[in-house]
Amino acid sequence: MDDHKIPLLSKDSSSSSSSSVVTSSLKWILKVVMSMIFVTWIVFLMILYPEQLGDDFLTLVASKTFLGTTGSMFLIFSGPILVIAVLASLYLIISGEDKVFTKNKISKFPRFRLWTFPVLVDGPFGVVSAAEFLGIMVFSVFFLWAIYAYTLRNLDLLERFHVLPKNRSILLLEVTGLRLGVIGLLCMVFLFLPISRGSILLRLIDIPFEHATRYHVWLGHITMAFFSLHGLCYVVGWIIEGRLLELVFSWNAIGVAVLPGVISLVAGLLMWVTSLHTVRKNNFELFFYTHQLYIVFVVFLALHVGDYLFSIVAGGIFLFILDRFLRFCQSRRTVDVISAKSLPCGTLELVLSKPPNMRYNALSFIFLQVRELSWLQWHPFSVSSSPLDGNHHVAVLIKVLGGWTAKLRDQLTNLSEAENQDQLISPESYPKITTCVEGPYGHESPYHLAYENLVLVAGGIGITPFFAILSDILHRKRDGKACLPSKVLVVWAIKNSDELSLLSEIDIPSICPFFSKKLNLEIHIYVTRQSEPRLEDGMVHKVVHPSVKPPRTNGCSMSVLVGTGDNIWSGLYLIVSTIGFIAMITLLDIFYIKKYNITTWWYKGLLFVVCMVASVLIFGGLVVVFWHRWGHKTGEVEANGNKVDLNGEETYNSSAAELKGLATEEDVQSYTTIRYGTRPNFREIFESLNGKWGSVDVGVIVCGPATLQTTVAKEIRSHSIWRSANHPLFHFNSHSFDL
């Protein structure tokens, strides 16, 4: 049996083989086409364009086609990424919602997976996989090649024009600044792609937003470094020339407008400085609010360079605008809080209402806003409930770490006190919790189900996503659904035993009676700052604060308008908006710009941005309206087909035999080991697993601080007998590895 691949989680095992062959063929064709487009695009972008050959090719396309200069730039630089996005949406629609996992044939030799094998574990980049390291090397070679190629072209330019010696340095500074600005634009092509939370492209390669943000950080540093050098070269040249103030405040109609570029650069520098790790860690609100200057940065960049050069970066920015508008539409809805409670360790749990037709994976996360605390702040939290826990709710655990979470705890305390008061309280003075939600976001496929053995390593509140994983596996074991994991080891490091109360959030025996016969589960807990247990530690699983039920506001369940929610609607949203955008800029060029001979660069750049935004609002907004109505009707149909209680949660009724066989507290303790005054020794843990599990498919998921990531990654890399890594996991300093 192990010598073959056994399909799991297939949508319909009785599907005709011909249909399966057609679907597989279409997916293969789409993959090949997307790969060819991407490789060709990257080769031109990083190799040919810095050379004179790139400019010659653009001139040829502009002169031989009806597209013109701006149209040619848009087609060559932004067109490929939009085409890939459209093809990616078709690919996801064909793939469907359910994934097929296979039991891999056991090999005597370790497998090497580029996307997940940890190559670098120390340094400024954190834990870096083989694929990420390859990408870093490609960009490094591109920077060196571009600087070299542009330097040769600059020297050739100086020789060609025979500039006087006193003006030679000024011209050299200006043309160098121009080249550095172009390199910055080429970096900016990719800058907005990783921060589109529901991006089709991220879903295609199955990299969740919370992991892709590190790519945005890297690209942001590089982009702003080149833009800063770009501006510095011009400033120094103008100082030497003695015309600094005159030129800085100039706003030319033909050519580059300098003042908008200065404004854009200042906005970019403010975002750059406040996004540095020290500032972001110590003053997150300053980072968050300053980062909203990206609107000023983009708009004034378009005014600075005009539509011609702005076409280079338009594709990525357009995809970001699509995602941002969808997030805005989804987050306007106020979401009901079904219940809220506080655990003894100070961690809060919120249970939010969701429609039954909203799909997500156990490794998902949401962005949460509480309007009583702030109308602007959004904070990400991992989902602690499995999709199989109930169709009408989703739960999150929130650890009190900063000012915002402390205010939320105080709000819940006030609500609890108000519930316990005997006297009547007027509705106006009753404490409220008004929440808005973005998401859920996360991995496209539940890859935690694709491994026979799982090692879950958590630090502190990092245990939260593992509750969802364990619940998901247990539900599938209970219901007889296909589920590959048969052995699960949880390694959890906490500071104090107070955090043990988090384990009360998952009642394993009640989810899956006789679970020990279906799943080999071990939980190893390391309490690092206590040398011995407290007297009350034996009862810590039972001691929880009573939950409160906030009064229902005018809210409802979460909106289904999320990029990862429905492949067909999200695909239509992208395709219709893209077609609308191309149609708008084409009609604008024919009936306005050419007709009235509009030549002002900054004005054409402004019109280009207006078309991008207008196409999303008009064409994308039309799709959103129908999407919303469809989600509302579908939710009503599915809700009528499910039995729910007063809180909107499904109930699972165990049989009498199952209830009699529920594990007791002693049985629960039998798979839980607590060690005090020590930290986990991952070398010993992996060596012991290697002896017990042998050469089998093992997935390691890590969720915790950077030091925990680094420690685990080092041990994984040193154990060559174990298999290499699988997927990056969660936000808040986390990765997963497959040994």
Side-chain angles (χ1 to χ4, degrees):
M1 186 71 72
D2 291 338
D3 293 337
H4 300 80
K5 291 188 174 183
I6 305 171
L8 295 178
L9 304 182
S10 57
K11 190 172 183 179
D12 184 8
S13 59
S14 62
S15 298
S16 63
S17 58
S18 59
S19 175
S20 177
V21 170
V22 171
T23 301
S24 300
S25 300
L26 288 175
K27 291 170 61 177
W28 182 84
I29 293 172
L30 288 174
K31 279 184 178 181
V32 171
V33 173
M34 287 187 290
S35 299
M36 292 176 62
I37 294 174
F38 180 74
V39 170
T40 304
W41 180 56
I42 290 296
V43 168
F44 177 82
L45 206 67
M46 294 188 170
I47 299 178
L48 298 182
Y49 186 65
E51 275 277 11
Q52 183 63 42
L53 181 63
D55 289 342
D56 295 340
F57 178 74
L58 285 172
T59 303
L60 178 65
V61 173
S63 61
K64 298 296 183 180
T65 64
F66 65 92
L67 298 174
T69 305
T70 301
S72 301
M73 290 286 288
F74 180 80
L75 175 66
I76 294 173
F77 287 96
S78 296
I81 199 66
L82 294 180
V83 172
I84 292 174
V86 170
L87 295 178
S89 65
L90 296 177
Y91 179 87
L92 293 176
I93 292 173
I94 294 173
S95 299
E97 294 181 359
D98 294 328
K99 305 298 177 184
V100 176
F101 293 107
T102 59
K103 184 175 181 180
N104 294 300
K105 179 180 178 180
I106 296 177
S107 174
K108 296 180 180 180
F109 304 98
R111 292 176 298 167
F112 185 78
R113 296 179 180 175
L114 287 176
W115 277 109
T116 49
F117 181 77
V119 174
L120 301 178
V121 295
D122 290 316
F125 297 105
V127 180
V128 177
S129 69
E132 291 169 341
F133 179 76
L134 183 61
I136 293 172
M137 295 304 297
V138 169
F139 269 91
S140 299
V141 171
F142 159 67
F143 298 142
L144 295 175
W145 161 247
I147 293 173
Y148 171 76
Y150 281 137
T151 300
L152 293 181
R153 293 178 64 179
N154 291 345
L155 295 176
D156 180 67
L157 186 66
L158 292 177
E159 295 297 331
R160 185 181 305 174
F161 284 93
H162 303 288
V163 182
L164 295 176
K166 64 177 182 179
N167 296 327
R168 189 180 182 89
S169 59
I170 297 176
L171 180 59
L172 181 61
L173 281 171
E174 291 185 353
V175 294
T176 300
L178 173 64
R179 304 303 189 188
L180 291 172
V182 172
I183 297 175
L185 285 176
L186 295 178
C187 295
M188 195 175 166
V189 169
F190 305 94
L191 182 63
F192 286 87
L193 298 178
I195 54 171
S196 299
R197 295 176 183 173
S199 171
I200 288 287
L201 300 177
L202 294 181
R203 293 175 61 197
L204 175 68
I205 56 180
D206 202 12
I207 295 181
F209 158 78
E210 72 277 5
H211 185 80
T213 50
R214 66 194 310 219
Y215 309 145
H216 172 74
V217 173
W218 299 346
L219 289 167
H221 289 316
I222 296 170
T223 301
M224 286 311 305
F226 278 108
F227 280 162
S228 299
L229 292 174
H230 161 75
L232 182 62
C233 286
Y234 277 99
V235 168
V236 172
W238 295 338
I239 291 176
I240 296 174
E241 196 176 1
R243 302 176 58 198
L244 177 62
L245 294 179
E246 175 189 348
L247 294 176
V248 162
F249 291 99
S250 63
W251 195 315
N252 302 325
I254 306 298
V256 173
V258 178
L259 183 57
V262 173
I263 297 174
S264 178
L265 181 59
V266 170
L269 289 174
L270 287 173
M271 289 190 293
W272 190 21
V273 172
T274 56
S275 66
L276 297 176
H277 178 72
T278 303
V279 179
R280 187 173 70 249
K281 181 180 179 181
N282 298 325
N283 199 331
F284 179 82
E285 292 186 6
L286 177 62
F287 155 75
F288 177 81
Y289 294 130
T290 307
H291 236 61
Q292 308 312 308
L293 290 172
Y294 74 87
I295 300 175
V296 176
F297 175 73
V298 170
V299 171
F300 280 88
L301 175 65
L303 298 177
H304 173 56
V305 300
D307 61 333
Y308 168 64
L309 291 176
F310 189 75
S311 297
I312 296 176
V313 299
I317 295 175
F318 179 72
L319 293 178
F320 173 77
I321 295 174
L322 279 171
D323 179 76
R324 191 64 190 89
F325 177 67
L326 197 61
R327 287 162 45 198
F328 174 82
C329 294
Q330 186 198 26
S331 63
R332 294 310 91 195
R333 173 183 288 191
T334 56
V335 178
D336 281 328
V337 179
I338 297 175
S339 67
K341 66 181 177 183
S342 176
L343 302 177
C345 60
T347 300
L348 313 174
E349 182 192 52
L350 295 182
V351 180
L352 307 171
S353 175
K354 84 169 189 68
N357 57 326
M358 172 174 282
R359 311 292 184 230
Y360 69 98
N361 290 325
L363 294 168
S364 298
F365 70 99
I366 63 172
F367 282 83
L368 183 66
Q369 177 200 64
V370 179
R371 292 186 174 178
E372 284 74 21
L373 307 183
S374 173
W375 279 71
L376 297 177
Q377 292 188 42
W378 291 83
H379 295 266
F381 300 102
S382 57
V383 172
S384 60
S385 59
S386 162
L388 301 178
D389 283 333
N391 287 333
H392 295 267
H393 78 277
V394 61
V396 293
L397 290 173
I398 303 171
K399 187 173 184 179
V400 179
L401 293 174
W404 187 88
T405 50
K407 292 178 183 178
L408 178 60
R409 177 192 57 197
D410 296 339
Q411 190 75 5
L412 290 179
T413 301
N414 296 335
L415 183 58
S416 178
E417 292 175 353
E419 280 191 349
N420 295 330
Q421 288 180 354
D422 295 333
Q423 63 271 26
L424 294 177
I425 301 178
S426 62
E428 292 78 12
S429 61
Y430 203 93
K432 296 179 181 179
I433 300 180
T434 307
T435 60
C436 297
V437 176
E438 285 185 15
Y441 302 108
H443 276 281
E444 182 68 13
S445 59
Y447 66 84
H448 61 283
L449 300 176
Y451 297 92
E452 297 179 74
N453 305 276
L454 283 177
V455 179
L456 309 178
V457 182
I461 195 62
I463 194 69
T464 299
F466 297 159
F467 291 156
I469 290 176
L470 290 175
S471 179
D472 198 42
I473 294 173
L474 291 168
H475 276 291
R476 292 180 179 277
K477 295 288 186 181
R478 183 199 70 190
D479 298 336
K481 295 183 178 181
C483 180
L484 206 52
S486 59
K487 300 183 184 71
V488 178
L489 170 63
V490 180
V491 180
W492 185 26
I494 57 178
K495 295 179 180 179
N496 301 299
S497 58
D498 290 343
E499 297 183 59
L500 290 172
S501 59
L502 288 173
L503 288 179
S504 64
E505 294 307 296
I506 178 169
D507 192 351
I508 293 176
S510 64
I511 294 176
C512 182
F514 309 109
F515 74 92
S516 59
K517 298 180 180 180
K518 302 177 181 179
L519 180 69
N520 184 356
L521 175 64
E522 296 181 46
I523 301 178
H524 294 179
I525 304 174
Y526 296 82
V527 184
T528 60
R529 294 188 179 179
Q530 289 179 215
S531 58
E532 57 184 15
R534 299 172 182 172
L535 293 177
E536 64 271 18
D537 282 357
M539 300 295 292
V540 74
H541 298 290
K542 295 183 178 180
V543 181
V544 294
H545 291 183
S547 62
V548 296
K549 296 180 180 179
R552 295 298 177 95
T553 60
N554 293 327
C556 48
S557 59
M558 295 162 60
S559 171
V560 296
L561 297 178
V562 58
T564 57
D566 185 90
N567 292 333
I568 296 178
W569 281 109
S570 59
L572 284 175
Y573 174 68
L574 168 67
I575 294 171
V576 171
S577 300
T578 303
I579 294 175
F581 171 48
I582 295 174
M584 288 189 70
I585 59 175
T586 302
L587 294 175
L588 181 71
D589 183 67
I590 295 174
F591 294 102
Y592 182 68
I593 294 178
K594 289 182 177 178
K595 182 177 181 179
Y596 295 99
N597 194 27
I598 305 297
T599 57
T600 305
W601 280 33
W602 68 264
Y603 182 55
K604 292 168 68 176
L606 178 62
L607 291 176
F608 197 92
V609 174
V610 170
C611 284
M612 292 174 65
V613 177
S615 63
V616 174
L617 295 178
I618 297 173
F619 299 99
L622 184 64
V623 176
V624 167
V625 170
F626 288 106
W627 189 353
H628 173 75
R629 292 182 177 179
W630 170 86
H632 181 70
K633 291 182 179 180
T634 307
E636 288 182 345
V637 172
E638 294 196 21
N640 293 333
N642 295 325
K643 297 175 65 176
V644 298
D645 61 15
L646 294 177
N647 288 332
E649 301 180 44
E650 295 81 3
T651 58
Y652 170 71
N653 296 320
S654 301
S655 65
E658 289 177 329
L659 292 174
K660 290 181 180 179
L662 288 179
T664 62
E665 184 179 351
E666 288 75 21
D667 293 327
V668 173
Q669 293 178 351
S670 65
Y671 62 83
T672 303
T673 303
I674 304 177
R675 297 178 175 87
Y676 290 85
T678 183
R679 298 178 180 274
N681 187 325
F682 292 104
R683 180 178 296 274
E684 293 182 357
I685 292 173
F686 290 160
E687 287 178 352
S688 64
L689 291 180
N690 186 41
K692 290 191 298 183
W693 293 354
S695 180
V696 294
D697 212 20
V698 180
V700 179
I701 304 177
V702 184
C703 187
T707 54
L708 184 64
Q709 297 179 49
T710 302
T711 303
V712 176
K714 284 181 179 179
E715 295 302 326
I716 289 175
R717 194 176 61 176
S718 64
H719 283 70
S720 59
I721 192 172
W722 286 50
R723 303 186 182 206
S724 60
N726 176 29
H727 297 270
L729 173 61
F730 194 63
H731 59 287
F732 287 152
N733 302 324
S734 59
H735 288 265
S736 71
F737 303 101
D738 164 35
L739 298 177

